[in-house]
Amino acid sequence: TIKEFESIRLKRIEQKQKKSIDDWNIPEIEMFTDSHIKKDNYKKCIQIPCYFKEDSTLEKEFTEEYLEINSDIEFWYKNWVSNKIYFWILYTFEWKNSVFYPDFIVKYKDWNIGIFDTKAWMTASEMKTKFKAEALQEYCKNKDNIFWWIVIKNWTSFFLNLWERYDYVNDNLAGWNRM
């Protein structure tokens, strides 16, 4: 029946999700289209050249204003979407299980791993973002060297959400720290 099939499908997704980021590898080969911009000037990107979607201004700014200039970062990887070779997190929204792909995986010199997802002001306050953030937090719970952050930009600065429960309403930055 459909219920049995859905139950089996959900169990398979949960089993896959139990894999740690330690078990995931950066893909050796990736394909990009004309809608991607090639960037050769990033020194800490593990993937050379690096690619961004044309409309990913926020991701490019985060790269240039945080990832590339932070002396604690050994390397970073631009994660992509819609393919099982990329790092993904299972979350539930509106009674459906889905996956989302955080924007960046960052390896720090102290062996910590950061998982970052950048959000524009409009998408930061969506309920879907709250569920993604909390699923990412749950995934990272009890993992000693892995931390996560939803990142937003307020005019000239990036901010990280520090709440145990994700909260962002009407431009209120209480509980957010400037990077």
Side-chain angles (χ1 to χ4, degrees):
T1 68
I2 292 176
K3 279 188 174 183
E4 289 172 339
F5 173 77
E6 182 65 9
S7 174
I8 291 168
R9 185 183 77 79
L10 292 176
K11 284 180 186 174
R12 286 183 181 163
I13 289 172
E14 288 171 14
Q15 287 171 346
K16 287 180 185 177
Q17 184 63 47
K18 287 180 183 175
K19 283 183 16 174
S20 168
I21 195 165
D22 294 332
D23 300 326
W24 174 81
N25 290 307
I26 293 170
E28 291 182 30
I29 298 174
E30 296 180 88
M31 305 294 278
F32 297 98
T33 66
D34 291 341
S35 68
H36 293 86
I37 297 172
K38 179 178 165 181
K39 301 288 272 184
D40 290 319
N41 59 329
Y42 296 134
K43 305 226 181 311
K44 294 184 181 183
C45 182
I46 196 160
Q47 173 193 51
I48 298 174
C50 180
Y51 289 86
F52 287 93
K53 284 190 173 181
E54 285 184 282
D55 62 352
S56 63
T57 303
L58 182 63
E59 292 173 358
K60 287 182 270 188
E61 289 175 353
F62 181 68
T63 298
E64 293 164 9
E65 297 172 28
Y66 177 73
L67 298 175
E68 281 294 305
I69 64 172
N70 186 324
S71 62
D72 294 329
I73 292 175
E74 184 174 334
F75 65 82
W76 57 270
Y77 171 72
K78 172 64 184 96
N79 198 38
W80 293 96
V81 299
S82 303
N83 191 316
K84 65 182 180 181
I85 66 171
Y86 300 116
F87 181 72
W88 54 272
I89 300 288
L90 178 70
Y91 75 104
T92 303
F93 180 67
E94 295 181 343
W95 302 281
K96 289 189 236 171
N97 281 335
S98 298
V99 296
F100 89 98
Y101 300 81
D103 294 327
F104 296 96
I105 312 297
V106 179
K107 164 72 170 52
Y108 288 84
K109 291 177 181 175
D110 65 2
W111 290 94
N112 282 320
I113 307 255
I115 303 172
F116 295 89
D117 198 46
T118 55
K119 294 291 178 199
W121 287 96
M122 295 177 303
T123 57
S125 60
E126 292 177 353
M127 190 56 69
K128 191 179 212 178
T129 299
K130 177 178 177 56
F131 282 87
K132 289 177 180 182
E134 291 174 1
L136 184 53
Q137 180 182 24
E138 185 63 31
Y139 173 81
C140 293
K141 193 187 266 184
N142 302 321
K143 291 181 173 63
D144 292 334
N145 69 327
I146 299 175
F147 58 89
W148 68 277
W149 276 309
I150 301 294
V151 178
I152 59 173
K153 188 171 186 182
N154 177 3
W155 305 112
T156 59
S157 299
F158 282 96
F159 290 83
L160 305 167
N161 179 346
L162 299 178
W163 289 107
E164 187 170 318
R165 304 280 298 167
Y166 180 84
D167 188 30
Y168 178 75
V169 181
N170 299 327
D171 299 341
N172 182 356
L173 290 172
W176 292 73
N177 263 17
R178 185 185 310 259
M179 294 180 78

